[in-house]
């Protein structure tokens, strides 16, 4: 490959693009930290689960590796156990990730491309959402980007043992964040197949020592899995639901729309164009989507090895069974660089491509449900016309799409933050009440159930939904419920962490059952000698939705 990389100061504060990027990234960080501090939204069930794990540090947990619990434990040790303290690491992790991507892009390309790369990443809707909640993705993307940056540095300095060991440690901690770090190893194998400088670094005794260090970091977690019946690994495999073994092509469209929600609709189009432009060319002709610089093309091919595996594997997974939108999130670290480098370097597109984009956008707006015809026509016409004017002003170069991507994702992020920090009436009025239902009403739920526990003199409270157990566990801490809370086990073996906290088989005291699942109630009744319905608890979550429990007293 002709690509050799650029030796440059990564954060040269005298550079104009570095100054602008750092100011923008710090501004976004400040807004997101403020949002975490002032949002009225409660913890989601997954966040409450991670908090529970952080109360008892270990080398593994039921469904995730341990790093998420360690980080939350450190944050709550410093700042207390409030919601904002649990979520506080998330915006900082994404900020640091954007800096790493800036440094990598500056070394591979130019300061301008570096600036566009960092802003592309930090404004992605998925990153905006992930910056407001504490999940394993923020940790994974940080270690992934750090490993990508170190791999490039090691590529240019293959004799460095320190970089080999650093890469090994980053990969090890990446696996402790989330098993999706496996896609990074696949990317390294792909790079080795065609890039001699990377191959010289990775096929060496130094790489062996780096791999050994990664293994040492992972070994306590592996031992934990061995001694706990491979709980984490088994849960990860079960999540795939491969038993169906049926391809559903329509799921591919759902996967594509989900990725639009993660990266942004324009960003996905630019990434696809970059992948086509990189690979679709021959000696006799080039695609209209290619770029003119062979050096830049080599760099894009190198990055594509860390984009394609996650997108391809999760697309296949989606067609076999199901795939959550965030499962392919690692593709957008290197993908942000591809989007920026391509947008700034690609030649002008044929005008018909711009009309096609405008037409697709108009069609998508016309089929939006629950909007009147006038609104849909306005949504179809205005953005399409604006896109064509933007393309004309940029001489039909895809750089126009990069600028449109910034604007669209900034608006999406701004709307989300306003809805997240504003009163419930705002999100309800905008039609997003259901989207926030898992993060509302938990203190009120605890208050209502604690009254029922006291009224019926129950010694224990039992629920039949894992999410409800986690919400009650966090918001009912310090004895607020008046009784310990358990989960009714649906299966012979626990299918979630909450089900491991189940009522002992020989429990003989009075139990208050708060059932949210009507289809489970006959099975629950069969588990008790006596059971009597005593009422309902209803917690309004949004205008047309509520959290409802049917209450039973049982022994």
């Amino acid at each position: 490959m002709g690509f050799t990389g650029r030796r440059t100061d990564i954060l040269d504060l005298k550079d104009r693009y570095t100054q602008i990027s750092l100011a923008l990234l710090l501004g976004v960080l400040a807004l997101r930290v403020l949002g975490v501090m002032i949002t009225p939204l409660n913890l989601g069930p997954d966040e409450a689960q991670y908090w529970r794990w952080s109360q008892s540090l270990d080398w593994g947990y039921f469904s995730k590796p341990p790093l998420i619990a360690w980080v939350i434990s450190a944050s709550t040790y410093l700042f207390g156990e409030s919601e904002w303290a649990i979520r506080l690491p998330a915006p900082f992790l994404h900020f640091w990730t954007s800096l790493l991507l800036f440094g990598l892009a500056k070394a591979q390309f130019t300061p301008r491309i570096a600036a566009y790369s960092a802003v592309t990443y930090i404004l992605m809707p998925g990153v905006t959402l992930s910056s407001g909640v504490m999940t394993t993705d923020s940790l994974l993307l940080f270690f992934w980007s750090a490993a990508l940056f170190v791999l490039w540095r090691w590529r240019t300095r293959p004799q460095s043992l320190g970089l080999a060991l650093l890469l090994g440690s980053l990969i090890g901690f990446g696996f402790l964040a989330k098993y999706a770090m496996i896609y990074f190893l696949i990317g390294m194998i792909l790079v080795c197949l065609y890039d001699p400088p990377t191959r010289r670094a990775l096929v060496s005794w130094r790489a062996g020592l780096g791999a050994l260090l990664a293994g040492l970091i992972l070994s306590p977690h592996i031992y934990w899995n061995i001694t706990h019946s491979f709980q984490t690994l088994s849960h990860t495999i079960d999540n795939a639901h491969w038993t169906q073994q049926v391809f559903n092509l329509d799921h591919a469209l759902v996967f594509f729309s989900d990725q639009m929600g993660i990266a942004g609709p324009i960003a996905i189009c630019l990434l696809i164009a970059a992948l086509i432009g990189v690979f679709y060319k021959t000696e006799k002709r080039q695609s209209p989507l290619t770029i003119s610089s062979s050096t830049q093309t080599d760099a894009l091919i190198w990055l594509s090895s860390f984009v394609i595996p996650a997108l391809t594997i999760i697309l296949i997974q989606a067609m076999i069974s199901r795939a959550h939108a965030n499962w392919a999130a690692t593709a957008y670290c290197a993908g942000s660089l591809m989007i920026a480098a391509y947008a700034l370097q690609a030649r002008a597109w044929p005008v018909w491509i711009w009309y096609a984009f405008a037409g697709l956008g108009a069609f998508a707006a016309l089929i939006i449900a629950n909007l009147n015809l006038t609104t849909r026509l306005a949504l179809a016409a205005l953005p399409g016309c604006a896109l064509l004017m933007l393309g004309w002003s940029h001489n039909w170069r895809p750089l126009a799409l990069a600028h449109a991507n910034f604007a669209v994702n900034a608006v999406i992020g701004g709307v989300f933050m306003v809805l997240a920090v504003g009163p419930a009436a705002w999100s309800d009025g905008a039609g997003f009440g259901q989207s926030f239902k898992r993060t509302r009403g938990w203190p009120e739920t605890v208050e209502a159930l604690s009254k029922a526990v006291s009224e019926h003199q129950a010694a224990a409270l039992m629920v039949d939904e894992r999410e409800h157990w986690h919400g009650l566990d966090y918001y009912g801490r310090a004895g607020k419920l008046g009784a310990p809370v358990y989960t009714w086990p649906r299966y012979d073996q626990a299918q979630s962490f909450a089900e491991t906290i189940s009522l002992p088989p020989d429990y003989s005291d009075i139990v208050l059952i708060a059932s949210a699942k009507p289809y489970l109630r006959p099975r629950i009744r069969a588990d008790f000698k006596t059971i009597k319905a005593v009422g309902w608890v209803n917690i309004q979550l949004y205008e047309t939705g509520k959290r409802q429990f049917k209450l039973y007293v049982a022994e």
Side-chain angles (χ1 to χ4, degrees):
M1 295 179 68
F3 170 55
T4 58
R6 298 166 56 91
R7 297 184 65 87
T8 183
D9 294 330
I10 299 304
L11 280 179
D12 178 10
L13 296 180
K14 295 181 180 179
D15 173 66
R16 180 167 65 96
Y17 288 107
T18 302
Q19 294 171 351
I20 294 173
S21 299
L22 195 57
L24 285 172
L25 296 177
L26 286 171
V28 171
L29 173 64
L31 285 174
R32 289 178 178 171
V33 169
L34 178 63
V36 164
M37 300 283 286
I38 68 175
T39 179
L41 297 178
N42 303 151
L43 291 185
D46 287 339
E47 293 176 292
Q49 175 176 239
Y50 304 147
W51 166 82
R52 166 51 59 191
W53 293 346
S54 75
Q55 303 301 293
S56 179
L57 296 184
D58 208 336
W59 281 98
Y61 298 95
F62 189 92
S63 59
K64 292 290 189 296
L67 195 58
I68 182 80
W70 299 354
V71 171
I72 290 175
S73 179
S75 182
T76 53
Y77 176 79
L78 293 172
F79 304 111
E81 294 187 347
S82 61
E83 292 98 328
W84 69 264
I86 293 170
R87 291 167 169 161
L88 186 62
F92 284 96
L93 285 164
H94 285 295
F95 170 73
W96 296 330
T97 299
S98 66
L99 291 182
L100 288 165
L101 296 177
F102 176 90
L104 177 61
K106 189 173 182 181
Q108 287 185 332
F109 300 105
T110 65
R112 188 184 183 200
I113 291 175
Y116 274 67
S117 299
V119 176
T120 296
Y121 172 82
I122 206 68
L123 291 181
M124 284 184 172
V127 173
T128 299
L129 175 62
S130 183
S131 296
V133 294
M134 191 58 197
T135 67
T136 53
D137 286 334
S138 54
L139 288 162
L140 172 67
L141 297 179
F142 169 74
F143 283 104
W144 179 289
S145 299
L148 196 65
F149 177 76
V150 171
L151 178 61
W152 170 80
R153 294 294 295 268
W154 191 24
R155 178 188 184 276
T156 60
R157 296 167 55 193
Q159 304 304 314
S160 173
L161 176 60
L163 289 174
L165 295 177
L166 179 56
L167 179 61
S169 65
L170 291 169
I171 291 174
F173 280 107
F175 273 104
L176 290 180
K178 197 172 185 179
Y179 291 159
M181 194 71 188
I182 188 70
Y183 303 138
F184 190 89
L185 301 186
I186 298 173
M188 291 198 302
I189 293 172
L190 290 177
V191 168
C192 281
L193 295 178
Y194 61 81
D195 184 41
T198 305
R199 186 163 57 246
R200 280 193 291 271
L202 291 177
V203 184
S204 67
W205 63 269
R206 298 173 186 83
L209 290 179
L212 179 62
L213 179 57
L216 288 174
I217 291 171
L218 272 173
S219 58
H221 176 62
I222 295 171
Y223 178 75
W224 183 92
N225 263 287
I226 292 172
T227 58
H228 288 76
S229 303
F230 294 95
Q231 280 185 2
T232 311
L233 184 61
S234 298
H235 183 273
T236 302
I237 294 172
D238 290 342
N239 250 355
H241 286 283
W242 285 350
T243 54
Q244 297 181 21
Q245 297 292 320
V246 176
F247 273 86
N248 300 285
L249 294 179
D250 57 316
H251 289 189
L253 296 176
V254 175
F255 172 79
F256 180 69
S257 65
D258 285 345
Q259 299 317 298
M260 283 188 168
I262 294 292
I266 298 177
I268 283 294
C269 295
L270 279 172
L271 182 57
I272 293 172
L275 290 169
I276 294 173
V278 165
F279 292 104
Y280 183 69
K281 63 178 181 179
T282 65
E283 293 182 358
K284 294 183 179 180
R285 66 171 187 166
Q286 291 183 324
S287 160
L289 303 179
T290 56
I291 62 176
S292 56
S293 169
S294 61
T295 301
Q296 302 292 340
T297 301
D298 290 342
L300 288 169
I301 292 174
W302 192 89
L303 289 167
S304 70
S305 298
F306 298 93
V307 173
I308 294 173
L311 289 177
T312 303
I313 292 171
I314 302 304
L315 172 60
I316 294 172
Q317 161 65 31
M319 290 191 293
I320 291 176
S321 175
R322 60 163 189 169
H324 293 302
N326 65 313
W327 284 4
T330 54
Y332 302 114
C333 296
S336 298
L337 275 68
M338 291 194 71
I339 291 168
Y342 176 79
L344 288 165
Q345 298 292 326
R347 57 172 55 87
W349 284 356
V351 177
W352 67 264
I353 295 181
W354 289 90
Y355 278 100
F357 270 121
L360 285 173
F363 176 74
L366 286 172
I367 62 175
I368 295 176
N370 302 322
L371 293 179
N372 60 50
L373 180 61
T374 302
T375 303
R376 281 183 285 173
L377 288 173
L379 289 174
L382 294 179
C385 292
L387 183 64
L388 292 176
M389 291 183 64
L390 197 61
W392 173 78
S393 68
H394 287 71
N395 295 317
W396 308 110
R397 291 177 55 214
L399 176 60
L401 287 177
H403 292 158
N405 177 57
F406 291 161
V408 169
N409 285 357
V411 169
I412 293 173
V415 169
F416 172 78
M417 287 196 65
V418 168
L419 296 180
V421 302
W426 293 1
S427 54
D428 292 352
F432 290 100
Q434 187 172 4
S435 301
F436 290 101
K437 67 179 181 180
R438 299 167 78 222
T439 57
R440 286 183 181 171
W442 288 113
E444 294 84 353
T445 303
V446 166
E447 182 180 0
L449 289 177
S450 67
K451 289 180 179 178
V453 165
S454 176
E455 178 184 350
H456 298 287
Q457 299 180 340
L461 173 67
M462 192 182 79
V463 295
D464 56 2
E465 168 59 52
R466 61 166 291 272
E467 293 189 355
H468 295 157
W469 185 87
H470 287 298
L472 296 174
D473 179 50
Y474 176 78
Y475 287 97
R477 67 192 187 281
K480 294 178 184 177
L481 276 168
V485 58
Y486 298 96
T487 303
W488 180 74
R490 302 186 188 185
Y491 310 98
D492 293 335
Q493 292 185 334
Q495 300 297 307
S496 67
F497 173 75
E499 288 184 30
T500 66
I501 316 297
S502 59
L503 203 65
D506 57 349
Y507 196 83
S508 59
D509 287 335
I510 296 175
V511 180
L512 178 70
I513 302 171
S515 172
K517 302 292 184 182
Y519 67 92
L520 294 178
R521 290 167 192 164
R523 293 173 58 191
I524 294 174
R525 290 189 188 99
D527 282 350
F528 291 88
K529 184 177 180 180
T530 62
I531 185 169
K532 177 183 177 183
V534 293
W536 295 84
V537 164
N538 295 287
I539 306 297
Q540 200 72 32
L541 303 178
Y542 57 100
E543 186 176 356
T544 59
K546 57 187 175 182
R547 183 176 296 127
Q548 185 178 67
F549 299 96
K550 187 170 185 178
L551 301 183
Y552 298 87
V553 171
E555 292 185 55

